[in-house]
Amino acid sequence: MTASSAGADETASTAPDQPPARSDGRSDFTRLPPTIDLPATEQAILELWDDIDAFEQSVQQRPADDEYVFYDGPPFANGTPHYGHLLASTTKDVVPRYWTMRGHRIHRRWGWDTHGLPVEMKVEEALGVRGPAEIEEFGVAAFNEACRALVDQTADDWDYVVRRLGRWVDMDHPYRTMDTDFMESVWWVFDQLWDKGLVYRSVKVLPYSWGATTPLSNFEANLDYRMTDDPSIVVRMPVVAGNDTVPDGDDLLIWTTTPWTLPGNLAIGAGRDVTYARVRVDDDGTTRHQWLATDLVETVLPDGDVVATASGADLLGVQYQPPFDHFGEERDRGAFRVLAAEEVETDEGTGLVHMAPAYGEIDFLTLREAGLDVLIDYVDADGRFTELVPEVAGVNIKEADSTLLRLLGDAGLVVSSGTINHSYPFCYRTGTPLIYKAVPTWFVEVTKLRDRLVELNHDIHWVPEAIGEARFGNWLEGARDWAVSRNRYWGSCIPVWECEACERQECLGSIDELEERSGQRPDDLHKHVLDPITYPCPDCDATMRRVPEVLDCWFESGSMPYAQLHYPFDNVEQFEATFPAEFISESLDQTRGWFYTLHVLSTALFDSPSFRNCVVSGMILAEDGRKMSKSLKNYPDPGHLFDSYGADALRAYMMDSPLLRAEPLRFSEAGVRQIVRTVLLPLWNVVSFFTTYAEADGVSMADLAEAPAPADRPEIDRWVLSVLQSLVADVNREMEGYHLNRVVTPVLGFIEDLTNWYVRRSRRRFWRSGDVERADTLAAFATLYESLTTFARVLAPVLPFLTEHLHQVLEVAVDDDAPKSIHWTDFPQADESLIDTELESAMATVRSIISMGRHLRTSNDLRVRQPLRTLTVITRDPDVAAAVASHAGLVTDELNVREVVVRADEGELVSLTAKPNFRVLGPRLGAEMGAVAGGVAALSHEDLAAVADGGTVEVAGHELGRDDLDLRRDPNPGTVVEASGPLAVALDTTLDRELEVEGLARDLVSRIQQVRRDLDLDVSDRVVVGWASDDEQVREAFARHGDQIASEVLAVEITADDPTADVEVDCGVGPVSVSVTPVD
RNA sequence: GGGCCCGUAGCUCAGCUUGGUUAGAGCGCACCCCUGAUAAGGGUGAGGCCGAUGGUUCAAGUCCAUCCGGGCCCA
């Protein structure tokens, strides 16, 4: 796959009409075909990297004392990689590759998130056990070992994909959250929080399955929603201590679908801003006044009369009589009052919310917010009422509904009663209805850290910036305490031991501490190993047992900076030298995930952020705008993309997308294909072009070394080198700012400049048989060589494969001292001395003139081969005039005109018109803008010409100068003129015999070249051309332009009236035949 | 329900921070050119009530409000 100089010998050409090369005439380069099999090339590069140990070397070659720290955010070790992972892996590869090339040593250690519910669920499925009860019956030890085995076996899929993508990361020495060292550090982290008083145990209202006698995760709770019938009742609660708005004896109406929670009612929630109505109802001769949200009067009390309204705020504090009076003593602690609740809905129910804090999270939080630290839980683990509610003690809560309803009815409290058919969660394992129930839970007191979290967030450079301010910042400001315990099995354990008798609690921070207490030193810290380890209570000598919960696996992810190094038990110096990380990157969904937990833990432990730069990427959607879905098959298989287009294309496609601005991308295979067509193939074509002519011309590295210095090269060379150096400066600036999405677009622009302008304009200079100076040829080769090698390095982080291939072909193959991989080289730094902004802008002007000239040719049906006399550029802008003057040859050549002239006055070709410069005049004129705009439109060409020359004109009482107007040039009717901005170009379309014959000569060249191609001649083969024609113009063309034709088609001789001329060619004139015979 | 984000040409996206009157690019499409990069290359053209409505302003794709559709996270 790499070019070797050995194969170049036999094809070196020695053109007879050229001075001998100063080298031995042999090229160091071997011609490469214009087509390339990108996937196959990438495979070969992968092997090359293995052979030279490219990744490891790229790290080791950089100084150990100049480390750049990157943290890998671990993927869950289950399932196979999807596009989100490919995106993350690309970002996590591009940035470290760049900073490596900038001279830093970057260890890139892969991480595996091994714990948590997804793994457990998979194992449950595989083992055929479902839910906690069955797991415990099956045996926690066996279950956990099955989880461990599953994690071990998922690594292989990843290995292939990550390698194929070209990501350099050490997967042989990953950190894994299930390794004992990692888990011990997690203990240490937890113990630090404990010592700082940031850990407490409280309760959290969770989905609970009485069938499985266990709380479930939200994920599990969502697994089995069913439509089901439940009671739907409205109950009145009489006011016993009202206020100015709500008199004693009025009723507050609440609605519930869970009558079993009514005995637990401790408060009623009202929305402060909700409007409530006092409704008079006459029922069986009794008149009642009942309160509910105004919006719901129609629905709940259609026969009532609204007699008053009040806002929710007016209801607060009103005391009422609960429907079951088992916990009356709670009134002294603030219960049975109307409290302010958030998010009160008024589209169903009554707008007054029944609150049973043990059985609803909102209820719990609302009461706590109001300072009511009360919790009544009368439901046992099996879902039965306890003795706290004697009427139904021992009865399943759902089955008690009818009894409770009857009791309420007897008490005259039921306002309405019916059933509702709604979606309700069921236990995915036992099929029993889920309830919400307060469960003991461990918390980290994040609220105490909140201010510091917000402050330290200001030290983090977020890309895009708004994420840090808005999304993450808001989240931090609203942070609540973090529930870190899970009632599960496969995870790090909460390292708290508790005395059975006296409830003494001890948090252990290391295995050493465990050994001190218990005399045991386990080599594994999973639940099934730890739970049997007990020790006597230092206070009362009873047994200390570990609390049963495991840790939220996000706690481990957030502990990763410490735990991956087994800090503080090992690597203390290394940790201190490398914390916090320079760079991390994940997608938007990690705002509340990894980004958050990293930040919370490092703030708590070290009062520091844990990362300095964070690139947040968007979510990848399928092409139809929906989520990528395996069942819908609405996205291409990554393997198919690798095989069809290669990893470089996929990488560049993702980098050059809204994803790097944290916006969603509709993933499209066509987009990947487009990268191949617009980036990879054109770039490769240039390489092929270079090697083809370097070989044909026998250009060697020694020759390139003799090329003129850049400052002494032709303008087109200096231009492309200037553009390239500007690009280098831009790319460095954007990479330093982590704006990865701003890298590919300017790169595309350079490819356009290089291929469609530099190579196209310079093509003849590479062709030694042409009539060009040796120095000029070498300047062109050297410029193109330098451009390609520099450009390859600029692109190396994004396109590691193709650029490596270029490096091998253009550098390694010709220079024994070249670094063996492009990824071992240094990233280019802009050479300011090569940047000539005036030249760049002059060239841009000239290109725009040429583009306008082409337009004129097209619209007047004049083929480019037909020479024309004159192109006139009309401009009053001295910069434009200067640009044309210094590039006149370029314009005449590109547009095939004899001369280009510049003039300032528009004459009869163009009329000046103007629009107001709104940006300038708007603020000055305000409402008069409209009148002035009308006046400006009516200005004459002469008025405007005066303004264009620096004068002024009065419009609607305002003096307007050149900066106040936006001058345009409109072609006058009947002219061949194109106008844009400060200039116009006019084409003289007059043809005469001389021009026509010259055009014909060019056509003849083109036709003869086609014959050469048909004969499969090599680009440097010499020929004898014969021709025969009676056409007068043809004879004249050969007579007057024969030398030129011969030179163009490499004819050593042209024979007129050749009887062997038998190839008919069509030049739009009389019949012509030619013959082309190679000579050797 | 809340926070953040997206909605511009058939498709994928610029432009929105800092409002300025002719809204750009690429792909696709149509037509043309070139034929010594050739299973390439170049040019030209058609194609848009800038998600909707209301507001601010001399002026709104751009700012504000509401709504609709989609996404992520949270409830």
Side-chain angles (χ1 to χ4, degrees):
Chain A
M1 64 150 315
T2 58
S4 85
S5 52
D9 299 1
E10 66 282 4
T11 48
S13 72
T14 45
D17 55 343
Q18 289 295 317
R22 271 171 291 176
S23 72
D24 59 1
R26 292 178 183 179
S27 174
D28 288 333
F29 301 96
T30 304
R31 177 177 189 170
L32 294 163
T35 55
I36 181 172
D37 181 341
L38 293 169
T41 303
E42 292 186 355
Q43 289 291 351
I45 295 288
L46 285 172
E47 282 166 33
L48 169 75
W49 286 343
D50 285 347
D51 289 347
I52 63 174
D53 198 16
F55 170 38
E56 182 62 20
Q57 288 299 317
S58 78
V59 176
Q60 296 304 331
Q61 287 174 4
R62 303 297 177 173
D65 59 358
D66 196 359
E67 200 161 335
Y68 175 102
V69 183
F70 157 74
Y71 290 161
D72 190 23
F76 274 115
N78 71 324
T80 48
H82 55 69
Y83 283 100
H85 297 118
L86 295 179
L87 169 65
S89 269
T90 301
T91 312
K92 294 170 181 185
D93 191 53
V94 170
V95 171
R97 277 185 194 269
Y98 173 77
W99 288 105
T100 297
M101 291 177 77
R102 289 291 298 270
H104 299 278
R105 178 178 288 205
I106 311 179
H107 291 284
R108 277 156 271 178
R109 190 176 183 197
W110 182 270
W112 287 115
D113 218 344
T114 58
H115 286 145
L117 197 65
V119 177
E120 292 196 39
M121 299 287 284
K122 272 202 143 176
V123 169
E124 283 189 19
E125 200 175 330
L127 295 177
V129 295
R130 301 195 80 185
E134 286 186 26
I135 289 171
E136 299 204 10
E137 195 180 323
F138 178 81
V140 174
F143 181 80
N144 273 355
E145 292 308 329
C147 290
R148 198 196 308 267
L150 175 74
V151 169
D152 281 336
Q153 85 193 23
T154 48
D156 294 347
D157 292 338
W158 288 79
D159 199 62
Y160 169 77
V161 171
V162 170
R163 171 184 147 93
R164 184 62 191 85
L165 185 68
R167 178 175 177 194
W168 279 359
V169 60
D170 182 3
M171 295 183 83
D172 296 330
H173 308 91
Y175 72 83
R176 299 191 300 178
T177 57
M178 68 181 189
D179 292 339
T180 304
D181 282 354
F182 194 102
M183 293 173 75
E184 187 181 23
S185 288
V186 170
W187 277 24
W188 173 80
V189 171
F190 191 88
D191 190 42
Q192 291 289 302
L193 299 177
W194 180 276
D195 287 348
K196 290 171 192 283
L198 291 169
V199 176
Y200 66 92
R201 182 163 58 185
S202 175
V203 298
K204 186 174 168 66
V205 178
L206 294 175
Y208 183 89
S209 164
W210 76 66
T213 65
T214 180
L216 300 179
S217 68
N218 279 317
F219 177 78
E220 290 170 298
N222 280 325
L223 289 175
D224 188 9
Y225 266 84
R226 302 180 194 172
M227 293 308 290
T228 188
D229 286 330
D230 273 314
S232 172
I233 61 171
V234 174
V235 175
R236 67 182 182 89
M237 308 224 189
V239 171
V240 294
N243 60 15
D244 293 347
T245 308
V246 185
D248 290 6
D250 278 14
D251 291 333
L252 303 172
L253 299 192
I254 63 93
W255 171 69
T256 186
T257 59
T258 50
W260 61 267
T261 61
L262 285 173
N265 175 282
L266 292 176
I268 290 176
R272 280 182 187 280
D273 301 324
V274 175
T275 305
Y276 292 91
R278 183 170 188 245
V279 181
R280 204 184 85 166
V281 179
D282 292 308
D283 178 28
D284 289 342
T286 317
T287 297
R288 299 186 194 282
H289 289 93
Q290 303 189 315
W291 287 86
L292 74 166
T294 307
D295 291 351
L296 289 155
V297 172
E298 191 83 0
T299 317
V300 180
L301 298 175
D303 300 328
D305 296 321
V306 175
V307 295
T309 60
S311 79
D314 297 327
L315 272 54
L316 302 185
V318 165
Q319 297 189 40
Y320 63 90
Q321 180 66 35
F324 295 92
D325 202 5
H326 298 305
F327 313 105
E329 67 279 9
E330 301 295 348
R331 185 179 300 280
D332 299 338
R333 298 166 62 183
F336 313 124
R337 286 169 170 80
V338 176
L339 305 178
E342 285 174 25
E343 295 168 26
V344 171
E345 293 182 26
T346 55
D347 51 359
E348 65 176 355
T350 62
L352 288 170
V353 184
H354 150 58
M355 299 231 153
Y359 309 117
E361 176 152 44
I362 302 260
D363 311 27
F364 180 78
L365 294 174
T366 302
L367 265 76
R368 200 173 59 181
E369 190 75 10
L372 269 77
D373 199 9
V374 293
L375 192 77
I376 302 293
D377 184 3
Y378 45 73
V379 177
D380 72 13
D382 295 313
R384 288 182 303 244
F385 279 96
T386 64
E387 292 297 333
L388 289 173
V389 187
E391 299 93 324
V392 286
V395 181
N396 175 279
I397 54 174
K398 284 283 183 186
E399 287 164 10
D401 277 349
S402 55
T403 308
L404 294 170
L405 265 174
R406 181 172 49 76
L407 291 171
L408 289 169
D410 292 349
L413 296 175
V414 177
V415 176
S416 73
S417 169
T419 59
I420 184 174
N421 187 257
H422 63 168
S423 175
Y424 191 86
F426 282 72
C427 176
Y428 70 103
R429 189 182 75 81
T430 61
T432 51
L434 295 181
I435 60 173
Y436 282 81
K437 186 175 183 328
V439 173
T441 299
W442 294 87
F443 288 88
V444 173
E445 199 169 0
V446 176
T447 43
K448 235 186 205 173
L449 300 167
R450 194 153 48 192
D451 293 346
R452 215 39 208 146
L453 290 172
V454 170
E455 282 168 35
L456 290 172
N457 181 37
H458 295 141
D459 297 341
I460 300 172
H461 173 53
W462 290 87
V463 177
E465 218 155 304
I467 297 276
E469 287 295 317
R471 198 177 162 110
F472 195 67
N474 289 348
W475 176 247
L476 292 178
E477 278 166 24
R480 291 198 274 174
D481 288 349
W482 175 14
V484 291
S485 61
R486 296 290 180 270
N487 303 82
R488 295 295 311 189
Y489 303 91
W490 179 238
S492 264
C493 293
I494 295 209
V496 173
W497 268 256
E498 193 171 28
C499 176
E500 283 180 337
C502 72
E503 297 187 350
R504 177 192 168 98
Q505 291 177 343
E506 291 187 334
C507 181
L508 307 187
S510 67
I511 297 176
D512 282 349
E513 276 188 61
L514 178 62
E515 187 177 22
E516 260 172 48
R517 303 283 198 293
S518 71
Q520 297 188 53
R521 190 174 185 84
D523 54 11
D524 181 14
L525 299 180
H526 282 97
K527 180 176 172 68
H528 58 291
V529 178
L530 285 186
D531 283 358
I533 300 179
T534 61
Y535 58 88
C537 173
D539 290 341
C540 71
D541 223 30
T543 305
M544 299 283 286
R545 291 186 190 282
R546 198 187 70 81
V547 301
E549 294 91 354
V550 299
L551 274 167
D552 177 7
C553 60
W554 287 112
F555 190 94
E556 303 173 275
S557 309
S559 303
M560 158 272 159
Y562 331 104
Q564 72 163 340
L565 292 172
H566 194 212
Y567 179 85
F569 308 103
D570 283 315
N571 304 311
V572 172
E573 279 177 23
Q574 190 190 347
F575 171 77
E576 284 167 359
T578 59
F579 179 84
E582 206 61 44
F583 166 69
I584 65 170
S585 174
E586 296 292 335
S587 58
L588 208 51
D589 52 0
Q590 294 301 325
T591 314
R592 273 77 162 163
W594 195 47
F595 300 151
Y596 179 64
T597 58
L598 276 177
H599 193 56
V600 166
L601 291 180
S602 66
T603 299
L605 266 58
F606 293 96
D607 194 37
S608 161
S610 40
F611 48 92
R612 292 203 175 94
N613 299 282
C614 181
V615 173
V616 184
S617 58
M619 310 302 294
I620 302 188
L621 305 178
E623 201 163 359
D624 58 11
R626 299 202 278 180
K627 280 167 98 166
M628 285 188 169
S629 147
K630 271 184 189 165
S631 55
L632 288 174
K633 285 197 181 358
N634 56 357
Y635 63 93
D637 174 48
H640 162 70
L641 292 182
F642 286 138
D643 294 344
S644 306
Y645 313 104
D648 277 345
L650 178 60
R651 292 168 63 111
Y653 172 60
M654 292 191 296
M655 290 298 104
D656 185 34
S657 76
L659 290 171
L660 274 296
R661 291 197 318 275
E663 286 170 19
L665 169 74
R666 293 185 178 200
F667 190 93
S668 136
E669 181 172 342
V672 180
R673 193 183 310 126
Q674 191 191 330
I675 293 287
V676 172
R677 296 183 47 171
T678 60
V679 180
L680 306 181
L681 292 183
L683 179 57
W684 179 253
N685 266 314
V686 178
V687 176
S688 164
F689 175 89
F690 174 84
T691 58
T692 298
Y693 291 99
E695 184 192 270
D697 284 3
V699 172
S700 65
M701 289 300 285
D703 292 327
L704 293 182
E706 286 177 32
D712 300 325
R713 293 181 196 167
E715 200 158 62
I716 188 88
D717 292 348
R718 284 188 282 120
W719 170 77
V720 79
L721 291 173
S722 175
V723 171
L724 174 62
Q725 292 304 322
S726 298
L727 173 76
V728 167
D730 290 348
V731 170
N732 273 309
R733 189 183 62 246
E734 300 302 353
M735 287 300 292
E736 285 165 9
Y738 293 86
H739 298 118
L740 306 189
N741 60 302
R742 295 190 204 155
V743 168
V744 176
T745 307
V747 157
L748 287 172
F750 181 73
I751 289 180
E752 161 77 13
D753 288 340
L754 184 68
T755 62
N756 292 340
W757 197 242
Y758 180 73
V759 170
R760 192 156 66 85
R761 286 304 316 156
S762 307
R763 207 180 297 174
R764 302 173 70 86
R765 301 166 61 208
F766 291 93
W767 181 30
R768 196 208 265 176
S769 310
D771 49 355
V772 285
E773 298 286 327
R774 175 73 174 164
D776 186 48
T777 297
L778 289 183
F781 273 111
T783 299
L784 187 52
Y785 182 80
E786 289 156 15
S787 298
L788 283 171
T789 51
T790 301
F791 189 49
R793 291 181 194 195
V794 169
L795 279 174
V798 176
L799 306 176
F801 292 102
L802 186 62
T803 56
E804 180 73 278
H805 187 43
L806 262 53
H807 178 76
Q808 298 299 323
V809 166
L810 297 175
E811 302 200 56
V812 176
V814 298
D815 177 3
D816 293 340
D817 297 329
K820 294 285 175 262
S821 167
I822 195 169
H823 304 288
W824 299 355
T825 65
D826 288 339
F827 200 85
Q829 293 298 297
D831 180 347
E832 301 286 344
S833 72
L834 295 178
I835 295 181
D836 182 342
T837 49
E838 281 177 27
L839 175 57
E840 289 188 37
S841 97
M843 189 66 84
T845 300
V846 168
R847 289 177 74 177
S848 127
I849 287 169
I850 288 167
S851 167
M852 290 157 73
R854 281 203 198 103
H855 187 193
L856 291 175
R857 274 192 172 271
T858 306
S859 51
N860 289 278
D861 216 12
L862 289 161
R863 70 192 193 283
V864 177
R865 272 198 298 268
Q866 175 59 60
L868 296 171
R869 287 260 172 233
T870 308
L871 181 83
T872 306
V873 177
I874 302 149
T875 184
R876 292 168 188 266
D877 184 333
D879 291 341
V880 173
V884 175
S886 60
H887 297 82
L890 211 163
V891 176
T892 55
D893 189 49
E894 191 70 19
L895 289 174
N896 195 15
V897 294
R898 290 275 174 85
E899 60 167 353
V900 55
V901 299
V902 180
R903 62 187 230 203
D905 77 294
E906 291 78 14
E908 69 287 0
L909 295 171
V910 177
S911 298
L912 288 174
T913 60
K915 291 204 168 189
N917 185 340
F918 287 97
R919 192 187 282 271
V920 170
L921 293 178
R924 203 162 91 203
L925 304 182
E928 288 180 77
M929 190 71 246
V932 172
V936 167
L939 289 172
S940 69
H941 174 79
E942 287 67 29
D943 288 338
L944 293 169
V947 172
D949 287 330
T952 61
V953 65
E954 192 182 304
V955 175
H958 295 277
E959 193 86 349
L960 302 180
R962 188 155 52 186
D963 295 338
D964 299 325
L965 296 174
D966 187 6
L967 292 174
R968 294 146 201 269
R969 286 156 177 80
D970 290 338
N972 286 335
T975 59
V976 181
V977 174
E978 178 87 1
S980 166
L983 62 96
V985 299
L987 194 61
D988 177 0
T989 57
T990 320
L991 287 179
D992 57 26
R993 174 77 173 191
E994 189 191 335
L995 291 172
E996 280 170 1
V997 167
E998 190 182 332
L1000 177 58
R1002 286 216 179 192
D1003 285 334
L1004 287 165
V1005 168
S1006 157
R1007 300 301 176 268
I1008 294 167
Q1009 298 286 29
Q1010 186 58 43
V1011 175
R1012 286 182 57 109
R1013 283 173 43 73
D1014 293 344
L1015 290 173
D1016 243 354
L1017 299 187
D1018 196 83
V1019 293
S1020 56
D1021 288 342
R1022 266 52 185 178
V1023 295
V1024 171
V1025 170
W1027 64 274
S1029 175
D1030 293 334
D1031 188 275
E1032 208 36 55
Q1033 279 202 45
V1034 174
R1035 302 192 76 84
E1036 198 177 330
F1038 274 109
R1040 292 175 57 172
H1041 302 288
D1043 289 351
Q1044 225 176 310
I1045 295 172
S1047 150
E1048 291 285 328
V1049 304
L1050 297 191
V1052 294
E1053 191 186 333
I1054 295 191
T1055 313
D1057 300 319
D1058 181 5
T1060 67
D1062 55 353
V1063 184
E1064 293 251 354
V1065 295
D1066 178 11
C1067 292
V1069 290
V1072 191
S1073 326
V1074 299
S1075 66
V1076 175
T1077 317
V1079 296
D1080 6 58

